[in-house]
Amino acid sequence: MAKVVVVTSGKGGVGKTTSTAALGAALAQTGQNVVVVDFDVGLRNLDLVMGAERRVVYDLINVVQGDAKLAQALIRDKRLDNLSILPASQTRDKDALTEDGVARVMGELREKFDWVICDSPAGIERGATLAMRHADLAVVVTNPEVSSVRDSDRIIGLLDSKTEKAEKGERMDKHLLLTRYDAGRAQRGEMLNVEDVLEILSIPLLGIIPESEEVLRASNMGSPVTLSNVNCAPSRAYMDAARRLMGETLPVTIPPERRGLFSKFFARRAA
Amino acid sequence: MKVLSLFRRQSSAPVARERLQVLLAHERAVIGGRSDLVSVLREEILAVIAKHVSVDREKIRVKMDRDGSVATLEVDIEIRAPSSELALSA
């Protein structure tokens, strides 16, 4: 039975696309058959973050409108053959996505894959509500910062009202993915800590992704971070989050960044 | 210790947390389709009171507030003077 996951946040720039790529790859690395779908029509970027930007021929809109078959638009990842990407269109706008068309494509994807991970556009407009519409589960990406937490609260409200599950009176499964977390700053009271965000949003925690240089390095190289450096702190956090999505119960830890003795010494002093 | 704290800036995270809690309590009520909650309460409470005593519509204040984990509903109604009427209704 396929699971459809929407990665959403309301606010832009918090790490939806990065997290979609990393979670998708992490699930595929455990042997699951995964597709990542870019719903950000007009501003596609998942292809770029995944390093597939030069292989896009057809896109989601072409499939939704019946101009291409799903198999023609799916791009298989070069590193993992059980990971595919369905890119968004760069030239069209979100109005080209019809509700029926999206429903049909999601149905086809459910038959082909174990996991369908939908990368939502920012905002609360039609693009975002279409991306969440067919989800079984939502990953709410949040930074420990006031505007991001506020927007996540708003998105949680939409997940509970504008999705197919909500309309059927079922409960939408929502999980918090806290990204760009700096444990040191949170401990010093300079940043909202995990408990603050959890108390305010009151949804269960899927994982904490530490702020790390490795994330930018990975997107520079066109690779999900879990594939470019499997042992770095954010990769370990994403791998754990993926295992939690598969139903494993793991204690949530904040993987420390491995640092040299020198910087460690100074970090201690600064704290 | 006091000298040290002079050099240390006050933590900003608790301020962020407090601001968010106050703001979201308000937004959840408003955006959750209940933007008219206070005015509905005002009208219905007024109707109940008006059955028994004469009240001045202008002299009613309904206020919702949130302090920490406790939300309060404050209703302030001024009742018109004639004490005989008050005695009757009681």
Side-chain angles (χ1 to χ4, degrees), chain A residues 176-212:
Chain A
L176 178 72
L177 189 66
L178 196 56
T179 55
R180 308 200 67 166
Y181 192 70
D182 185 328
R185 297 197 73 186
Q187 201 179 7
R188 292 192 294 275
E190 297 169 9
M191 181 185 263
L192 288 167
N193 65 33
V194 189
E195 291 76 24
D196 291 338
V197 182
L198 283 175
E199 193 197 322
I200 293 167
L201 295 179
S202 47
I203 58 173
L205 183 61
L206 182 69
I208 304 165
I209 314 299
E211 173 81 69
S212 163

PDB file of all heavy atoms in Angstrom, chain A residues 176-212:
ATOM      1  N   LEU A 176       6.284  17.013  12.648  1.00  0.00           N
ATOM      2  CA  LEU A 176       7.152  18.195  12.594  1.00  0.00           C
ATOM      3  C   LEU A 176       8.589  17.806  12.255  1.00  0.00           C
ATOM      4  O   LEU A 176       9.177  16.922  12.868  1.00  0.00           O
ATOM      5  CB  LEU A 176       7.135  18.900  13.956  1.00  0.00           C
ATOM      6  CG  LEU A 176       8.031  20.126  14.078  1.00  0.00           C
ATOM      7  CD1 LEU A 176       7.455  21.298  13.288  1.00  0.00           C
ATOM      8  CD2 LEU A 176       8.222  20.517  15.528  1.00  0.00           C
ATOM      9  N   LEU A 177       9.139  18.491  11.243  1.00  0.00           N
ATOM     10  CA  LEU A 177      10.562  18.335  10.937  1.00  0.00           C
ATOM     11  C   LEU A 177      11.208  19.695  11.192  1.00  0.00           C
ATOM     12  O   LEU A 177      10.968  20.657  10.469  1.00  0.00           O
ATOM     13  CB  LEU A 177      10.748  17.904   9.472  1.00  0.00           C
ATOM     14  CG  LEU A 177      12.165  17.498   9.075  1.00  0.00           C
ATOM     15  CD1 LEU A 177      12.605  16.229   9.803  1.00  0.00           C
ATOM     16  CD2 LEU A 177      12.262  17.270   7.567  1.00  0.00           C
ATOM     17  N   LEU A 178      11.979  19.754  12.271  1.00  0.00           N
ATOM     18  CA  LEU A 178      12.599  21.016  12.657  1.00  0.00           C
ATOM     19  C   LEU A 178      13.959  21.117  11.974  1.00  0.00           C
ATOM     20  O   LEU A 178      14.846  20.303  12.228  1.00  0.00           O
ATOM     21  CB  LEU A 178      12.739  21.029  14.183  1.00  0.00           C
ATOM     22  CG  LEU A 178      13.002  22.353  14.878  1.00  0.00           C
ATOM     23  CD1 LEU A 178      11.933  23.385  14.543  1.00  0.00           C
ATOM     24  CD2 LEU A 178      13.082  22.151  16.383  1.00  0.00           C
ATOM     25  N   THR A 179      14.099  22.099  11.081  1.00  0.00           N
ATOM     26  CA  THR A 179      15.336  22.191  10.307  1.00  0.00           C
ATOM     27  C   THR A 179      16.160  23.417  10.711  1.00  0.00           C
ATOM     28  O   THR A 179      15.637  24.340  11.331  1.00  0.00           O
ATOM     29  CB  THR A 179      15.030  22.256   8.790  1.00  0.00           C
ATOM     30  OG1 THR A 179      14.143  23.337   8.553  1.00  0.00           O
ATOM     31  CG2 THR A 179      14.384  20.982   8.299  1.00  0.00           C
ATOM     32  N   ARG A 180      17.422  23.408  10.315  1.00  0.00           N
ATOM     33  CA  ARG A 180      18.368  24.490  10.609  1.00  0.00           C
ATOM     34  C   ARG A 180      18.480  24.748  12.108  1.00  0.00           C
ATOM     35  O   ARG A 180      18.562  25.896  12.546  1.00  0.00           O
ATOM     36  CB  ARG A 180      17.965  25.776   9.875  1.00  0.00           C
ATOM     37  CG  ARG A 180      17.756  25.565   8.391  1.00  0.00           C
ATOM     38  CD  ARG A 180      17.855  26.844   7.641  1.00  0.00           C
ATOM     39  NE  ARG A 180      19.226  27.352   7.694  1.00  0.00           N
ATOM     40  CZ  ARG A 180      19.678  28.310   6.914  1.00  0.00           C
ATOM     41  NH1 ARG A 180      18.880  28.880   6.025  1.00  0.00           N
ATOM     42  NH2 ARG A 180      20.920  28.726   7.001  1.00  0.00           N
ATOM     43  N   TYR A 181      18.478  23.678  12.868  1.00  0.00           N
ATOM     44  CA  TYR A 181      18.490  23.793  14.329  1.00  0.00           C
ATOM     45  C   TYR A 181      19.925  23.914  14.837  1.00  0.00           C
ATOM     46  O   TYR A 181      20.796  23.146  14.447  1.00  0.00           O
ATOM     47  CB  TYR A 181      17.824  22.553  14.922  1.00  0.00           C
ATOM     48  CG  TYR A 181      17.521  22.685  16.392  1.00  0.00           C
ATOM     49  CD1 TYR A 181      16.528  23.545  16.823  1.00  0.00           C
ATOM     50  CD2 TYR A 181      18.220  21.947  17.336  1.00  0.00           C
ATOM     51  CE1 TYR A 181      16.233  23.666  18.170  1.00  0.00           C
ATOM     52  CE2 TYR A 181      17.937  22.057  18.680  1.00  0.00           C
ATOM     53  CZ  TYR A 181      16.935  22.923  19.094  1.00  0.00           C
ATOM     54  OH  TYR A 181      16.643  23.032  20.426  1.00  0.00           O
ATOM     55  N   ASP A 182      20.132  24.886  15.696  1.00  0.00           N
ATOM     56  CA  ASP A 182      21.454  25.080  16.290  1.00  0.00           C
ATOM     57  C   ASP A 182      21.317  24.819  17.792  1.00  0.00           C
ATOM     58  O   ASP A 182      20.831  25.675  18.542  1.00  0.00           O
ATOM     59  CB  ASP A 182      21.933  26.516  16.005  1.00  0.00           C
ATOM     60  CG  ASP A 182      23.364  26.756  16.496  1.00  0.00           C
ATOM     61  OD1 ASP A 182      23.765  26.151  17.511  1.00  0.00           O
ATOM     62  OD2 ASP A 182      24.059  27.563  15.852  1.00  0.00           O
ATOM     63  N   ALA A 183      21.716  23.623  18.203  1.00  0.00           N
ATOM     64  CA  ALA A 183      21.510  23.197  19.593  1.00  0.00           C
ATOM     65  C   ALA A 183      22.195  24.139  20.583  1.00  0.00           C
ATOM     66  O   ALA A 183      21.646  24.433  21.644  1.00  0.00           O
ATOM     67  CB  ALA A 183      22.013  21.764  19.780  1.00  0.00           C
ATOM     68  N   GLY A 184      23.358  24.635  20.206  1.00  0.00           N
ATOM     69  CA  GLY A 184      24.104  25.539  21.093  1.00  0.00           C
ATOM     70  C   GLY A 184      23.343  26.829  21.339  1.00  0.00           C
ATOM     71  O   GLY A 184      23.172  27.263  22.477  1.00  0.00           O
ATOM     72  N   ARG A 185      22.847  27.418  20.262  1.00  0.00           N
ATOM     73  CA  ARG A 185      22.111  28.683  20.389  1.00  0.00           C
ATOM     74  C   ARG A 185      20.799  28.468  21.142  1.00  0.00           C
ATOM     75  O   ARG A 185      20.378  29.323  21.916  1.00  0.00           O
ATOM     76  CB  ARG A 185      21.820  29.288  19.011  1.00  0.00           C
ATOM     77  CG  ARG A 185      23.086  29.665  18.251  1.00  0.00           C
ATOM     78  CD  ARG A 185      22.774  30.613  17.123  1.00  0.00           C
ATOM     79  NE  ARG A 185      22.452  31.932  17.650  1.00  0.00           N
ATOM     80  CZ  ARG A 185      22.022  32.937  16.910  1.00  0.00           C
ATOM     81  NH1 ARG A 185      21.840  32.764  15.615  1.00  0.00           N
ATOM     82  NH2 ARG A 185      21.770  34.097  17.444  1.00  0.00           N
ATOM     83  N   ALA A 186      20.142  27.327  20.904  1.00  0.00           N
ATOM     84  CA  ALA A 186      18.887  27.042  21.604  1.00  0.00           C
ATOM     85  C   ALA A 186      19.157  26.909  23.105  1.00  0.00           C
ATOM     86  O   ALA A 186      18.392  27.414  23.926  1.00  0.00           O
ATOM     87  CB  ALA A 186      18.253  25.772  21.052  1.00  0.00           C
ATOM     88  N   GLN A 187      20.267  26.275  23.428  1.00  0.00           N
ATOM     89  CA  GLN A 187      20.613  26.072  24.836  1.00  0.00           C
ATOM     90  C   GLN A 187      20.934  27.404  25.517  1.00  0.00           C
ATOM     91  O   GLN A 187      20.632  27.599  26.692  1.00  0.00           O
ATOM     92  CB  GLN A 187      21.819  25.137  24.915  1.00  0.00           C
ATOM     93  CG  GLN A 187      21.944  24.478  26.264  1.00  0.00           C
ATOM     94  CD  GLN A 187      23.134  23.538  26.312  1.00  0.00           C
ATOM     95  OE1 GLN A 187      23.940  23.471  25.378  1.00  0.00           O
ATOM     96  NE2 GLN A 187      23.249  22.811  27.399  1.00  0.00           N
ATOM     97  N   ARG A 188      21.500  28.316  24.751  1.00  0.00           N
ATOM     98  CA  ARG A 188      21.841  29.614  25.323  1.00  0.00           C
ATOM     99  C   ARG A 188      20.658  30.582  25.319  1.00  0.00           C
ATOM    100  O   ARG A 188      20.800  31.740  25.669  1.00  0.00           O
ATOM    101  CB  ARG A 188      23.006  30.241  24.544  1.00  0.00           C
ATOM    102  CG  ARG A 188      24.319  29.498  24.726  1.00  0.00           C
ATOM    103  CD  ARG A 188      25.486  30.316  24.195  1.00  0.00           C
ATOM    104  NE  ARG A 188      25.459  30.517  22.757  1.00  0.00           N
ATOM    105  CZ  ARG A 188      25.944  29.671  21.860  1.00  0.00           C
ATOM    106  NH1 ARG A 188      26.485  28.535  22.265  1.00  0.00           N
ATOM    107  NH2 ARG A 188      25.895  29.939  20.575  1.00  0.00           N
ATOM    108  N   GLY A 189      19.499  30.114  24.875  1.00  0.00           N
ATOM    109  CA  GLY A 189      18.308  30.965  24.875  1.00  0.00           C
ATOM    110  C   GLY A 189      18.292  31.977  23.750  1.00  0.00           C
ATOM    111  O   GLY A 189      17.571  32.969  23.787  1.00  0.00           O
ATOM    112  N   GLU A 190      19.084  31.698  22.695  1.00  0.00           N
ATOM    113  CA  GLU A 190      19.118  32.633  21.569  1.00  0.00           C
ATOM    114  C   GLU A 190      18.194  32.182  20.447  1.00  0.00           C
ATOM    115  O   GLU A 190      18.031  32.876  19.450  1.00  0.00           O
ATOM    116  CB  GLU A 190      20.541  32.723  21.002  1.00  0.00           C
ATOM    117  CG  GLU A 190      21.558  33.256  21.969  1.00  0.00           C
ATOM    118  CD  GLU A 190      22.981  33.077  21.449  1.00  0.00           C
ATOM    119  OE1 GLU A 190      23.164  32.708  20.276  1.00  0.00           O
ATOM    120  OE2 GLU A 190      23.900  33.305  22.229  1.00  0.00           O
ATOM    121  N   MET A 191      17.636  30.980  20.581  1.00  0.00           N
ATOM    122  CA  MET A 191      16.806  30.404  19.521  1.00  0.00           C
ATOM    123  C   MET A 191      15.722  29.577  20.189  1.00  0.00           C
ATOM    124  O   MET A 191      15.983  28.964  21.230  1.00  0.00           O
ATOM    125  CB  MET A 191      17.719  29.505  18.663  1.00  0.00           C
ATOM    126  CG  MET A 191      17.075  28.833  17.491  1.00  0.00           C
ATOM    127  SD  MET A 191      18.228  27.695  16.667  1.00  0.00           S
ATOM    128  CE  MET A 191      18.832  28.701  15.338  1.00  0.00           C
ATOM    129  N   LEU A 192      14.519  29.567  19.623  1.00  0.00           N
ATOM    130  CA  LEU A 192      13.452  28.715  20.151  1.00  0.00           C
ATOM    131  C   LEU A 192      13.985  27.291  20.235  1.00  0.00           C
ATOM    132  O   LEU A 192      14.642  26.829  19.309  1.00  0.00           O
ATOM    133  CB  LEU A 192      12.243  28.743  19.205  1.00  0.00           C
ATOM    134  CG  LEU A 192      11.415  30.024  19.153  1.00  0.00           C
ATOM    135  CD1 LEU A 192      10.482  29.995  17.956  1.00  0.00           C
ATOM    136  CD2 LEU A 192      10.624  30.214  20.436  1.00  0.00           C
ATOM    137  N   ASN A 193      13.731  26.589  21.324  1.00  0.00           N
ATOM    138  CA  ASN A 193      14.217  25.214  21.391  1.00  0.00           C
ATOM    139  C   ASN A 193      13.130  24.223  20.972  1.00  0.00           C
ATOM    140  O   ASN A 193      11.990  24.604  20.714  1.00  0.00           O
ATOM    141  CB  ASN A 193      14.802  24.906  22.776  1.00  0.00           C
ATOM    142  CG  ASN A 193      13.756  24.963  23.874  1.00  0.00           C
ATOM    143  OD1 ASN A 193      12.602  24.635  23.636  1.00  0.00           O
ATOM    144  ND2 ASN A 193      14.160  25.364  25.062  1.00  0.00           N
ATOM    145  N   VAL A 194      13.522  22.956  20.877  1.00  0.00           N
ATOM    146  CA  VAL A 194      12.593  21.922  20.382  1.00  0.00           C
ATOM    147  C   VAL A 194      11.298  21.916  21.188  1.00  0.00           C
ATOM    148  O   VAL A 194      10.203  21.862  20.621  1.00  0.00           O
ATOM    149  CB  VAL A 194      13.237  20.522  20.495  1.00  0.00           C
ATOM    150  CG1 VAL A 194      12.376  19.490  19.789  1.00  0.00           C
ATOM    151  CG2 VAL A 194      14.629  20.515  19.929  1.00  0.00           C
ATOM    152  N   GLU A 195      11.432  21.981  22.517  1.00  0.00           N
ATOM    153  CA  GLU A 195      10.247  21.915  23.381  1.00  0.00           C
ATOM    154  C   GLU A 195       9.308  23.096  23.127  1.00  0.00           C
ATOM    155  O   GLU A 195       8.091  22.915  23.085  1.00  0.00           O
ATOM    156  CB  GLU A 195      10.651  21.892  24.863  1.00  0.00           C
ATOM    157  CG  GLU A 195      11.336  20.609  25.321  1.00  0.00           C
ATOM    158  CD  GLU A 195      12.787  20.487  24.866  1.00  0.00           C
ATOM    159  OE1 GLU A 195      13.413  21.545  24.604  1.00  0.00           O
ATOM    160  OE2 GLU A 195      13.277  19.353  24.725  1.00  0.00           O
ATOM    161  N   ASP A 196       9.882  24.289  22.929  1.00  0.00           N
ATOM    162  CA  ASP A 196       9.057  25.477  22.634  1.00  0.00           C
ATOM    163  C   ASP A 196       8.205  25.231  21.392  1.00  0.00           C
ATOM    164  O   ASP A 196       6.991  25.437  21.389  1.00  0.00           O
ATOM    165  CB  ASP A 196       9.943  26.707  22.346  1.00  0.00           C
ATOM    166  CG  ASP A 196      10.684  27.202  23.585  1.00  0.00           C
ATOM    167  OD1 ASP A 196      10.229  26.903  24.691  1.00  0.00           O
ATOM    168  OD2 ASP A 196      11.713  27.895  23.415  1.00  0.00           O
ATOM    169  N   VAL A 197       8.868  24.803  20.313  1.00  0.00           N
ATOM    170  CA  VAL A 197       8.164  24.635  19.032  1.00  0.00           C
ATOM    171  C   VAL A 197       7.121  23.522  19.135  1.00  0.00           C
ATOM    172  O   VAL A 197       5.995  23.659  18.661  1.00  0.00           O
ATOM    173  CB  VAL A 197       9.161  24.357  17.879  1.00  0.00           C
ATOM    174  CG1 VAL A 197       8.423  24.227  16.560  1.00  0.00           C
ATOM    175  CG2 VAL A 197      10.204  25.468  17.797  1.00  0.00           C
ATOM    176  N   LEU A 198       7.496  22.431  19.806  1.00  0.00           N
ATOM    177  CA  LEU A 198       6.550  21.315  19.959  1.00  0.00           C
ATOM    178  C   LEU A 198       5.330  21.738  20.772  1.00  0.00           C
ATOM    179  O   LEU A 198       4.210  21.349  20.465  1.00  0.00           O
ATOM    180  CB  LEU A 198       7.235  20.128  20.636  1.00  0.00           C
ATOM    181  CG  LEU A 198       8.149  19.302  19.732  1.00  0.00           C
ATOM    182  CD1 LEU A 198       8.858  18.237  20.552  1.00  0.00           C
ATOM    183  CD2 LEU A 198       7.353  18.651  18.612  1.00  0.00           C
ATOM    184  N   GLU A 199       5.569  22.534  21.808  1.00  0.00           N
ATOM    185  CA  GLU A 199       4.453  22.954  22.659  1.00  0.00           C
ATOM    186  C   GLU A 199       3.510  23.874  21.886  1.00  0.00           C
ATOM    187  O   GLU A 199       2.290  23.756  21.980  1.00  0.00           O
ATOM    188  CB  GLU A 199       4.987  23.663  23.909  1.00  0.00           C
ATOM    189  CG  GLU A 199       3.898  23.833  24.961  1.00  0.00           C
ATOM    190  CD  GLU A 199       4.262  24.861  26.015  1.00  0.00           C
ATOM    191  OE1 GLU A 199       5.438  24.917  26.403  1.00  0.00           O
ATOM    192  OE2 GLU A 199       3.354  25.608  26.427  1.00  0.00           O
ATOM    193  N   ILE A 200       4.092  24.768  21.072  1.00  0.00           N
ATOM    194  CA  ILE A 200       3.262  25.714  20.332  1.00  0.00           C
ATOM    195  C   ILE A 200       2.470  25.009  19.225  1.00  0.00           C
ATOM    196  O   ILE A 200       1.284  25.242  19.046  1.00  0.00           O
ATOM    197  CB  ILE A 200       4.130  26.851  19.754  1.00  0.00           C
ATOM    198  CG1 ILE A 200       4.694  27.700  20.906  1.00  0.00           C
ATOM    199  CG2 ILE A 200       3.340  27.720  18.788  1.00  0.00           C
ATOM    200  CD1 ILE A 200       5.798  28.652  20.503  1.00  0.00           C
ATOM    201  N   LEU A 201       3.138  24.128  18.473  1.00  0.00           N
ATOM    202  CA  LEU A 201       2.463  23.519  17.315  1.00  0.00           C
ATOM    203  C   LEU A 201       1.711  22.235  17.677  1.00  0.00           C
ATOM    204  O   LEU A 201       0.835  21.795  16.934  1.00  0.00           O
ATOM    205  CB  LEU A 201       3.473  23.246  16.205  1.00  0.00           C
ATOM    206  CG  LEU A 201       4.119  24.497  15.588  1.00  0.00           C
ATOM    207  CD1 LEU A 201       5.124  24.107  14.509  1.00  0.00           C
ATOM    208  CD2 LEU A 201       3.060  25.431  14.992  1.00  0.00           C
ATOM    209  N   SER A 202       2.078  21.628  18.789  1.00  0.00           N
ATOM    210  CA  SER A 202       1.513  20.355  19.264  1.00  0.00           C
ATOM    211  C   SER A 202       1.215  19.316  18.188  1.00  0.00           C
ATOM    212  O   SER A 202       0.096  18.829  18.057  1.00  0.00           O
ATOM    213  CB  SER A 202       0.314  20.568  20.192  1.00  0.00           C
ATOM    214  OG  SER A 202      -0.589  21.500  19.680  1.00  0.00           O
ATOM    215  N   ILE A 203       2.268  18.992  17.417  1.00  0.00           N
ATOM    216  CA  ILE A 203       2.222  17.807  16.549  1.00  0.00           C
ATOM    217  C   ILE A 203       3.488  17.001  16.851  1.00  0.00           C
ATOM    218  O   ILE A 203       4.470  17.565  17.325  1.00  0.00           O
ATOM    219  CB  ILE A 203       2.140  18.171  15.030  1.00  0.00           C
ATOM    220  CG1 ILE A 203       3.324  19.032  14.585  1.00  0.00           C
ATOM    221  CG2 ILE A 203       0.825  18.852  14.709  1.00  0.00           C
ATOM    222  CD1 ILE A 203       3.355  19.256  13.075  1.00  0.00           C
ATOM    223  N   PRO A 204       3.456  15.679  16.612  1.00  0.00           N
ATOM    224  CA  PRO A 204       4.623  14.865  16.981  1.00  0.00           C
ATOM    225  C   PRO A 204       5.875  15.200  16.152  1.00  0.00           C
ATOM    226  O   PRO A 204       5.780  15.665  15.023  1.00  0.00           O
ATOM    227  CB  PRO A 204       4.151  13.432  16.726  1.00  0.00           C
ATOM    228  CG  PRO A 204       2.966  13.541  15.854  1.00  0.00           C
ATOM    229  CD  PRO A 204       2.333  14.867  16.113  1.00  0.00           C
ATOM    230  N   LEU A 205       7.010  14.939  16.749  1.00  0.00           N
ATOM    231  CA  LEU A 205       8.293  15.288  16.138  1.00  0.00           C
ATOM    232  C   LEU A 205       8.801  14.149  15.247  1.00  0.00           C
ATOM    233  O   LEU A 205       8.904  13.007  15.676  1.00  0.00           O
ATOM    234  CB  LEU A 205       9.304  15.564  17.260  1.00  0.00           C
ATOM    235  CG  LEU A 205      10.700  16.028  16.876  1.00  0.00           C
ATOM    236  CD1 LEU A 205      10.655  17.349  16.126  1.00  0.00           C
ATOM    237  CD2 LEU A 205      11.573  16.157  18.119  1.00  0.00           C
ATOM    238  N   LEU A 206       9.114  14.488  13.991  1.00  0.00           N
ATOM    239  CA  LEU A 206       9.682  13.483  13.075  1.00  0.00           C
ATOM    240  C   LEU A 206      11.201  13.505  13.132  1.00  0.00           C
ATOM    241  O   LEU A 206      11.856  12.468  12.988  1.00  0.00           O
ATOM    242  CB  LEU A 206       9.213  13.751  11.640  1.00  0.00           C
ATOM    243  CG  LEU A 206       9.695  12.754  10.593  1.00  0.00           C
ATOM    244  CD1 LEU A 206       9.040  11.394  10.789  1.00  0.00           C
ATOM    245  CD2 LEU A 206       9.434  13.260   9.186  1.00  0.00           C
ATOM    246  N   GLY A 207      11.773  14.675  13.344  1.00  0.00           N
ATOM    247  CA  GLY A 207      13.230  14.748  13.415  1.00  0.00           C
ATOM    248  C   GLY A 207      13.711  16.177  13.575  1.00  0.00           C
ATOM    249  O   GLY A 207      12.956  17.126  13.376  1.00  0.00           O
ATOM    250  N   ILE A 208      14.974  16.287  13.974  1.00  0.00           N
ATOM    251  CA  ILE A 208      15.616  17.590  14.101  1.00  0.00           C
ATOM    252  C   ILE A 208      16.832  17.571  13.192  1.00  0.00           C
ATOM    253  O   ILE A 208      17.727  16.738  13.347  1.00  0.00           O
ATOM    254  CB  ILE A 208      16.082  17.841  15.553  1.00  0.00           C
ATOM    255  CG1 ILE A 208      14.913  17.716  16.521  1.00  0.00           C
ATOM    256  CG2 ILE A 208      16.742  19.210  15.670  1.00  0.00           C
ATOM    257  CD1 ILE A 208      15.349  17.582  17.968  1.00  0.00           C
ATOM    258  N   ILE A 209      16.836  18.475  12.210  1.00  0.00           N
ATOM    259  CA  ILE A 209      17.960  18.530  11.280  1.00  0.00           C
ATOM    260  C   ILE A 209      18.868  19.678  11.713  1.00  0.00           C
ATOM    261  O   ILE A 209      18.457  20.839  11.681  1.00  0.00           O
ATOM    262  CB  ILE A 209      17.486  18.756   9.825  1.00  0.00           C
ATOM    263  CG1 ILE A 209      16.314  17.829   9.471  1.00  0.00           C
ATOM    264  CG2 ILE A 209      18.654  18.602   8.853  1.00  0.00           C
ATOM    265  CD1 ILE A 209      16.590  16.353   9.555  1.00  0.00           C
ATOM    266  N   PRO A 210      20.084  19.376  12.128  1.00  0.00           N
ATOM    267  CA  PRO A 210      20.962  20.453  12.594  1.00  0.00           C
ATOM    268  C   PRO A 210      21.427  21.343  11.443  1.00  0.00           C
ATOM    269  O   PRO A 210      21.558  20.882  10.308  1.00  0.00           O
ATOM    270  CB  PRO A 210      22.135  19.694  13.215  1.00  0.00           C
ATOM    271  CG  PRO A 210      22.136  18.364  12.559  1.00  0.00           C
ATOM    272  CD  PRO A 210      20.712  18.058  12.203  1.00  0.00           C
ATOM    273  N   GLU A 211      21.616  22.611  11.745  1.00  0.00           N
ATOM    274  CA  GLU A 211      22.212  23.547  10.788  1.00  0.00           C
ATOM    275  C   GLU A 211      23.582  22.980  10.405  1.00  0.00           C
ATOM    276  O   GLU A 211      24.352  22.568  11.262  1.00  0.00           O
ATOM    277  CB  GLU A 211      22.365  24.904  11.485  1.00  0.00           C
ATOM    278  CG  GLU A 211      23.115  25.953  10.710  1.00  0.00           C
ATOM    279  CD  GLU A 211      22.239  26.647   9.684  1.00  0.00           C
ATOM    280  OE1 GLU A 211      21.339  27.389  10.080  1.00  0.00           O
ATOM    281  OE2 GLU A 211      22.482  26.438   8.478  1.00  0.00           O
ATOM    282  N   SER A 212      23.853  22.912   9.117  1.00  0.00           N
ATOM    283  CA  SER A 212      25.127  22.320   8.710  1.00  0.00           C
ATOM    284  C   SER A 212      25.565  22.806   7.339  1.00  0.00           C
ATOM    285  O   SER A 212      24.739  23.013   6.445  1.00  0.00           O
ATOM    286  CB  SER A 212      24.987  20.795   8.682  1.00  0.00           C
ATOM    287  OG  SER A 212      26.030  20.207   7.954  1.00  0.00           O
TER     288      SER A 212
END
